[in-house]
Amino acid sequence: EIYCSGPILHHMQEAKLFKDDKHFVDMKLKSPPGEVLAAFQTLLNEWPNSSIPTEKLQEFLEANFDKPGTEFETWMPTDWQEKPRFLSGIADEKLRLWAEQIHGLWKSLGRKIQTSVKDHPELYSQIFTPHPVVVPGGRFRELYYWDSYWVINGLILSEMTETAYGMIQNFLFLVERYGFVPNGGRVYYERRSQPPFLPLMVESYYGATGNRQFLRAALPVLETEYRFWMQNRSVTVTVTGSEHVLNRFKVDADLPRPESYTDDLELAEGLSDEVRRRLFVDLKAGAESGWDFTSRWFINASGQNDGTLRDTRTSQILPADLNALLCRNERLLASFHRLLGEILTSDLHLAFSSQLLLHED
Ligand SMILES: OC[C@H]1O[C@H](O[C@H]2O[C@H](CO)[C@@H](O)[C@H](O)[C@H]2O)[C@H](O)[C@@H](O)[C@@H]1O
């Protein structure tokens, strides 16, 4: 009601109190949502017809919200060390210095979420995860799903397997809670995911450590996430008489993205209600793809892959990369089951993955 929809979100974002719409939805509530909503209702009664003056909104904001970022405690990765082995393998001095700088970033991008977020989730848009996270940085003050695949591989290269382990545990925790991994660690990302890289994260970690116990515990959770994609993000297509189940990005939420609220509203200006809602759905699907935004998702009125951002129709496309990723995931699940001696389940996954392939070339 506050971070994802409702009158407070609408009025605050429309007033453009901040340069970036993400700022408001990352702020912490000072008191319980019910109280803040009631206080805002008083303001709405006082100033009907959307006429609340900007300074009144500003006052309301100061009285009821803290600035973004207060939900973290200082944290330094305990497994960080000055000179991991990979650095000495880089002969070119300039490249080595560059790699050193990147390795140094782990110290500034690591975050630990305070337990107050766990105890009072209603006051935060940040989603609590039990282990520290590495964030992309800048305006992105929370974990992101597909970014973390490359982060985890970097951490492993930096010999920071403990931090990598914690990040994977966070994603497993999120799947247990939501049935899938949300786009990022904020409540306004709860209705959409990102390209499903969790099995590949597990593969990287298992490859670096050979920890079978970890694999055994992770596998049922990976199956849960796989089912989410097959049940909620798939369509059956018939090609020359045979049926194939293929995947797509699709989000059933027809409001503007809270973190890009005014951008989405402005983009949809002048469209009919139905087309506007459809555009919001497809913009969110575009965000789920991680490719936000690209002309790959444009389909114009004549059905051609051409047009502008207003022609975004992500959910109507079966992307080759997403399907390749799902196929890879099935093969990975098959190999994990085989490793753990579960041959029957392994064969089932292999059989399914071969149905995905329309053309071997
Ligand atoms: O690096 C984090 C992510 O950054 C971009 O997307 C994110 O920002 C969008 C606008 O604020 C938001 O709508 C989207 O859901 C977020 O994931 C980038 O496009 C992503 O690929 C990237 O993971």
Side-chain angles (χ1 to χ4, degrees):
E1 269 274 13
I2 292 182
Y3 294 117
C4 302
S5 60
I8 301 186
L9 176 73
H10 184 74
H11 281 82
M12 290 300 170
Q13 300 293 42
E14 284 269 86
K16 288 195 180 284
L17 299 178
F18 306 102
K19 269 196 269 165
D20 182 351
D21 286 353
K22 193 169 179 304
H23 188 105
F24 169 66
V25 288
D26 288 0
M27 295 176 93
K28 179 201 170 250
L29 285 172
K30 286 184 177 169
S31 32
E35 284 176 28
V36 177
L37 280 165
F40 197 72
Q41 191 54 52
T42 310
L43 206 58
L44 281 172
N45 295 342
E46 208 179 320
W47 303 90
N49 308 320
S50 293
S51 63
I52 309 172
T54 308
E55 57 281 11
K56 291 281 168 196
L57 287 173
Q58 194 77 53
E59 271 172 32
F60 181 85
L61 198 75
E62 271 154 37
N64 292 286
F65 291 85
D66 280 329
K67 62 180 193 323
T70 53
E71 65 269 41
F72 300 113
E73 56 188 64
T74 326
W75 179 75
M76 264 286 289
T78 46
D79 51 356
W80 192 88
Q81 46 160 316
E82 194 86 33
K83 298 275 179 215
R85 282 186 296 272
F86 84 93
L87 287 174
S88 56
I90 305 175
D92 184 289
E93 201 190 333
K94 269 195 195 152
L95 282 180
R96 195 170 55 250
L97 283 175
W98 180 60
E100 264 173 36
Q101 279 170 15
I102 294 177
H103 171 67
L105 287 178
W106 303 133
K107 290 190 289 182
S108 55
L109 293 176
R111 304 276 184 281
K112 185 156 175 30
I113 302 173
Q114 287 175 6
T115 48
S116 54
V117 180
K118 183 182 175 194
D119 299 338
H120 290 286
E122 73 282 5
L123 299 180
Y124 300 87
S125 64
Q126 181 84 235
I127 298 171
F128 178 78
T129 45
H131 299 272
V133 300
V134 172
V135 301
R139 65 195 285 268
F140 297 121
R141 319 169 187 91
E142 53 279 317
L143 61 77
Y144 281 81
Y145 185 9
W146 80 329
D147 302 48
S148 299
Y149 171 61
W150 291 281
V151 166
I152 284 166
N153 280 319
L155 289 170
I156 289 171
L157 195 62
S158 287
E159 296 169 42
M160 296 170 67
T161 44
E162 197 186 312
T163 303
Y165 175 83
M167 285 191 69
I168 298 174
Q169 291 304 320
N170 284 338
F171 288 117
L172 297 172
F173 168 88
L174 290 170
V175 174
E176 281 179 328
R177 175 168 172 194
Y178 295 98
F180 66 97
V181 180
N183 177 152
R186 294 275 173 186
V187 293
Y188 50 79
Y189 289 144
E190 274 176 356
R191 303 282 294 274
R192 59 184 190 257
S193 188
Q194 267 195 331
F197 272 94
L198 185 53
L200 281 85
M201 296 178 192
V202 168
E203 179 195 34
S204 296
Y205 182 81
Y206 181 75
T209 63
N211 185 340
R212 283 170 80 92
Q213 210 183 332
F214 158 82
L215 190 62
R216 195 174 288 284
L219 195 47
V221 191
L222 297 184
E223 290 284 2
T224 302
E225 194 211 18
Y226 171 72
R227 273 197 301 280
F228 167 82
W229 282 89
M230 299 320 286
Q231 286 167 7
N232 302 284
R233 299 293 189 266
S234 68
V235 287
T236 304
V237 290
T238 307
V239 181
T240 53
S242 27
E243 288 193 340
H244 302 269
V245 178
L246 291 169
N247 294 87
R248 60 175 169 165
F249 298 106
K250 186 167 190 313
V251 182
D252 292 320
D254 62 2
L255 293 173
R257 289 168 301 151
E259 76 287 1
S260 299
Y261 195 87
T262 53
D263 286 344
D264 289 2
L265 279 186
E266 282 160 25
L267 184 69
E269 239 167 49
L271 296 176
S272 69
D273 257 18
E274 191 194 336
V275 177
R276 186 180 26 199
R277 280 203 301 274
R278 193 183 75 186
L279 177 61
F280 292 154
V281 161
D282 278 315
L283 288 173
K284 286 186 174 163
E288 181 169 81
S289 78
W291 290 62
D292 40 315
F293 283 96
T294 162
S295 56
R296 278 184 71 194
W297 309 138
F298 298 171
I299 306 180
N300 67 17
S302 353
Q304 300 303 307
N305 179 210
D306 195 7
T308 67
L309 196 55
R310 261 159 83 106
D311 300 303
T312 297
R313 299 302 315 277
T314 320
S315 62
Q316 301 308 301
I317 292 169
L318 301 174
D321 46 356
L322 173 64
N323 282 283
L325 185 57
L326 260 305
C327 185
R328 172 94 159 85
N329 284 351
E330 296 205 334
R331 291 178 177 189
L332 266 179
L333 291 178
S335 73
F336 293 159
H337 281 291
R338 187 162 286 272
L339 260 162
L340 297 173
E342 297 156 3
I343 307 300
L344 197 62
T345 330
S346 169
D347 287 350
L348 277 175
H349 275 296
L350 274 186
F352 207 82
S353 81
S354 55
Q355 278 177 37
L356 270 176
L357 303 173
L358 290 177
H359 299 285
E360 284 291 347
D361 54 351

